[in-house]
Amino acid sequence: MPKMIEVQNLSKHFREHVAVSDLTFSLEAGEILGFLGPNGAGKTTTMRMLTGYMPPTDGTIRVAGFDVFEEPLEVKRRIGYLPELPPVYLDMTVRGYLEFCARLKGLRRKAVKSEVDRAEEATRTADVEERLIGNLSKGYRQRVGLAQAILGSPPVLILDEPTVGLDPVQIIEVRELVQSLAKSGEHTIILSTHILHEVTELCQKALVIKGGRMVGFDTLEGFRRRLVDGRQASLEEIYLRLIEAPGIDPLSGEKTAAEASPQVPPEASPEGAEKNAGVDSPSEPSASP
Amino acid sequence: MRNTLSIARKELSVYFTTPLPYALFAVATVFTGFFLVGLIQKFQRLCQLAGQLGQYIDASFLNLTDFVILPCIQQSGLLAAIAAPFLSMRLIAEEKRQRTFELLMTAPVRSVELVIGKYVSGCLILALTVAATFIAPILLDRFSLGVQGSGVDWSTVRVAFAGLLLWTAAAMALGLFISALTDSQAVAAIISLLVFILLWVCGWVGQGSEGIVGTVLGYLSVPEHLEGFMKGIVRLQDVVYFSSLVVLGLFLSHRAVEGQRWV
């Protein structure tokens, strides 16, 4: 299967501050990735670079074979993106907003109506479609944001903390929605979240970053085999191990990944791990000045 | 092109769901009404004076177009300078504040389409606002039908109005640029207002100064360039002046929007 998302040596610096450093991973079509890391680890920055909102300082991103920097429009056509705060217009009705988004995504006039209907149904926002978004609760706004992301069934979905700030019922609803999207197999999904069992439930792989550096990228099974000797440890335990690894040297974490990679299942990207191993040394000086 | 239209359409729908354009229309109509009444009274007094001095002066220069309608359109230019910041301030600053800028920048839309769509919608509302001034010639045309036909010289009025529209187009382009520089609508409005008022009054300073400074300020002055239109004359230099402002404003807006990616 072709790689849907390929990220190579991705770095982002804000003046002196290094937000993301030397991130390399790839996803195949239909894979669901849980994107984990403490607040400020660079998750949102990475997602913004993937969607073409920000240019990387260094490195390349290819989505469905198109380079984000060279052919941004082709990439943007293929990505549905839900930012951290739902990007909604408070002065618009739900329907008006979704129709606007559908037109922006280049859907034909006839397709606009049916797509908006479909997205509203999927996110259960049809009953508020005539209301102004400014008058909706946070949960509904989040769902409207999600509806916007799935308009036009883009092959890649990037969801930045879709369940943050929702009540338990809403969290379950959004999770079910993401699950149904995942099951359809039409989407490659990158999901950032702090709720770890969400990742266990939804995702095939997890990518953990810390301080802008990747400390782990594997399937849950792969992590277990490597870090806890195959014990049925929860993702929480694995996550804590990755984040609070003694010595706090993220590179050593990456090296572990490279060593362990031959044993991981075929689709669990030994390729990604190799790249990590390959870029270990050149990345060091770039971070130190 | 389709994207531009979608964006313009959305902007218009947002404008009309907020009370802002209605408030501006109200202000514009009230101001025009005041000016119109004042100018008509002044015109009346002039006519009476001319009647009393009939044997000494030739009163044929007294006409509605020159003494009522054109001053009314001229003041509308100042009205546009004051109204434009309120319309342009939200265009891009609001998107940034609401975080919807991220939506636009990650949608398959070119920056130039975004800028033009925003610009067109803003221009349209501002043109509607100053169009309130058009009540003056229409009313006077209805009431001044005399032996010699209408008292309104429509060809002059049309040119004057075209000049006014050119100025609104220029103001909107500059306002859009200023809105693209900040995420605060208030800051965008204040700076735009400052720029427009400076453009409006710099000619007065220019008249007082000597040499190159005076000349440059004179060239920059908006009323100086509206003057020709207000006489019913289309001068190339005035058209070039306003279109340069439009092009400059749009170019800088485009740069500013693109520049967001490079912070």
Side-chain angles (χ1 to χ4, degrees):
Chain A
M1 261 183 128
K3 294 268 182 274
M4 198 48 148
I5 298 177
E6 275 185 277
V7 174
Q8 268 186 30
N9 304 358
L10 186 68
S11 299
K12 178 76 189 176
H13 302 193
F14 295 102
R15 298 216 174 85
E16 302 298 294
H17 175 65
V18 179
V20 175
S21 169
D22 215 14
L23 195 61
T24 299
F25 67 93
S26 62
L27 286 179
E28 277 160 28
E31 282 188 314
I32 319 292
L33 174 75
F35 195 14
L36 305 172
N39 282 328
K43 297 192 297 290
T44 299
T45 307
T46 305
M47 291 183 151
R48 284 181 167 172
M49 288 191 281
L50 285 173
T51 53
Y53 178 65
M54 267 179 192
T57 310
D58 206 357
T60 56
I61 305 169
R62 295 177 84 82
V63 175
F66 296 100
D67 188 294
V68 172
F69 195 73
E70 305 288 335
E71 291 165 288
L73 291 186
E74 291 299 326
V75 170
K76 288 172 183 176
R77 259 180 218 126
R78 288 167 175 79
I79 292 185
Y81 175 42
L82 174 65
E84 215 169 348
L85 291 175
V88 291
Y89 294 98
L90 303 180
D91 291 324
M92 286 177 95
T93 63
V94 172
R95 177 114 210 150
Y97 169 72
L98 290 177
E99 283 180 353
F100 167 64
C101 294
R103 279 195 294 267
L104 272 194
K105 292 185 176 203
L107 294 179
R108 307 233 156 269
R109 194 181 300 182
K110 279 176 195 156
V112 167
K113 198 187 168 313
S114 59
E115 264 304 297
V116 170
D117 284 340
R118 188 186 68 86
E120 280 183 348
E121 199 183 329
T123 53
R124 299 199 216 157
T125 44
D127 50 329
V128 293
E129 65 170 18
E130 291 307 325
R131 286 175 59 183
L132 287 183
I133 298 175
N135 296 338
L136 295 179
S137 69
K138 191 166 180 183
Y140 265 114
R141 285 185 203 176
Q142 192 76 26
R143 281 195 252 174
V144 172
L146 202 52
Q148 166 273 125
I150 64 172
L151 281 172
S153 292
V156 176
L157 282 176
I158 295 185
L159 310 175
D160 197 352
E161 303 195 11
T163 52
V164 76
L166 302 185
D167 69 37
V169 177
Q170 291 166 336
I171 290 180
I172 292 167
E173 281 177 2
V174 167
R175 191 181 305 154
E176 279 170 357
L177 175 61
V178 175
Q179 206 147 28
S180 69
L181 291 170
K183 269 189 196 138
S184 71
E186 295 167 14
H187 308 279
T188 309
I189 304 179
I190 297 184
L191 175 77
S192 92
T193 179
H194 287 303
I195 306 172
L196 294 175
H197 80 265
E198 221 162 60
V199 175
T200 324
E201 268 177 48
L202 295 173
C203 306
Q204 288 131 13
K205 287 185 179 174
L207 193 159
V208 185
I209 65 172
K210 180 189 174 188
R213 292 175 160 273
M214 181 153 85
V215 292
F217 172 52
D218 212 330
T219 57
L220 184 56
E221 281 311 308
F223 277 129
R224 281 176 180 154
R225 199 171 309 142
R226 229 174 57 213
L227 296 168
V228 291
D229 307 321
R231 193 157 49 79
Q232 285 300 301
S234 68
L235 187 58
E236 267 91 353
E237 194 183 329
I238 291 167
Y239 177 77
L240 287 178
R241 233 166 218 259
L242 287 168
I243 291 299
E244 288 167 1
I248 313 190
D249 185 7
L251 292 177
S252 68
E254 280 182 10
K255 273 198 182 118
T256 338
E259 281 158 21
S261 59
Q263 300 140 24
V264 293
E267 85 277 2
S269 90
E271 194 186 323
E274 269 164 35
K275 276 173 200 151
N276 296 339
V279 296
D280 268 350
S281 34
S283 74
E284 223 159 2
S286 77
S288 43
Chain B
M1 184 61 195
R2 260 189 81 218
N3 290 332
T4 309
L5 286 180
S6 307
I7 287 168
R9 201 168 136 188
K10 173 233 134 193
E11 288 302 322
L12 287 176
S13 88
V14 170
Y15 268 128
F16 283 111
T17 41
T18 60
L20 183 71
Y22 304 102
L24 280 179
F25 295 158
V27 170
T29 356
V30 169
F31 265 102
T32 308
F34 271 117
F35 270 90
L36 191 56
V37 170
L39 287 165
I40 289 174
Q41 281 171 347
K42 197 171 141 201
F43 182 64
Q44 214 171 11
R45 277 200 302 279
L46 277 176
C47 287
Q48 279 168 354
L49 204 64
Q52 287 159 11
L53 304 170
Q55 63 263 53
Y56 307 112
I57 59 163
D58 176 20
S60 64
F61 68 91
L62 281 173
N63 66 71
L64 278 174
T65 310
D66 286 343
F67 281 81
V68 179
I69 297 170
L70 293 179
C72 201
I73 294 180
Q74 175 100 39
Q75 66 81 25
S76 202
L78 185 60
L79 181 81
I82 296 167
F86 293 100
L87 291 168
S88 65
M89 65 179 186
R90 52 165 292 277
L91 283 174
I92 294 178
E94 189 184 42
E95 302 273 2
K96 291 193 195 163
R97 182 53 65 87
Q98 282 192 351
R99 304 293 202 95
T100 42
F101 198 62
E102 215 164 333
L103 175 81
L104 298 176
M105 296 310 273
T106 55
V109 179
R110 291 186 179 83
S111 305
V112 65
E113 294 169 324
L114 172 69
V115 167
I116 304 273
K118 296 247 166 205
Y119 174 66
V120 166
S121 66
C123 272
L124 214 59
I125 307 270
L126 188 56
L128 278 178
T129 310
V130 296
T133 323
F134 228 57
I135 318 168
I138 291 169
L139 276 179
L140 293 178
D141 187 46
R142 294 298 299 273
F143 287 107
S144 68
L145 280 176
V147 208
Q148 300 159 321
S150 168
V152 179
D153 176 8
W154 278 105
S155 57
T156 311
V157 171
R158 270 199 296 271
V159 171
F161 204 68
L164 185 60
L165 286 182
L166 273 178
W167 160 230
T168 61
M172 199 36 101
L174 294 176
L176 180 67
F177 167 56
I178 293 164
S179 176
L181 291 179
T182 169
D183 63 356
S184 155
Q185 295 193 41
V187 169
I190 291 166
I191 298 195
S192 312
L193 195 61
L194 179 79
V195 169
F196 299 156
I197 300 289
L198 275 182
L199 279 179
W200 196 265
V201 301
C202 66
W204 307 346
V205 183
Q207 282 165 2
S209 7
E210 305 260 310
I212 187 111
V213 178
T215 323
V216 169
L217 288 177
Y219 276 134
L220 285 178
S221 150
V222 170
E224 205 115 308
H225 289 282
L226 278 177
E227 206 186 328
F229 290 105
M230 293 305 152
K231 288 176 184 153
I233 310 162
V234 181
R235 290 185 302 205
L236 186 62
Q237 67 201 64
D238 301 336
V239 178
V240 168
Y241 170 76
F242 287 119
S243 4
S244 330
L245 284 184
V246 170
V247 172
L248 181 75
L250 289 180
F251 173 75
L252 291 176
S253 309
H254 178 249
R255 293 286 89 194
V257 167
E258 278 284 294
Q260 294 306 315
R261 301 175 190 276
W262 299 102
V263 284

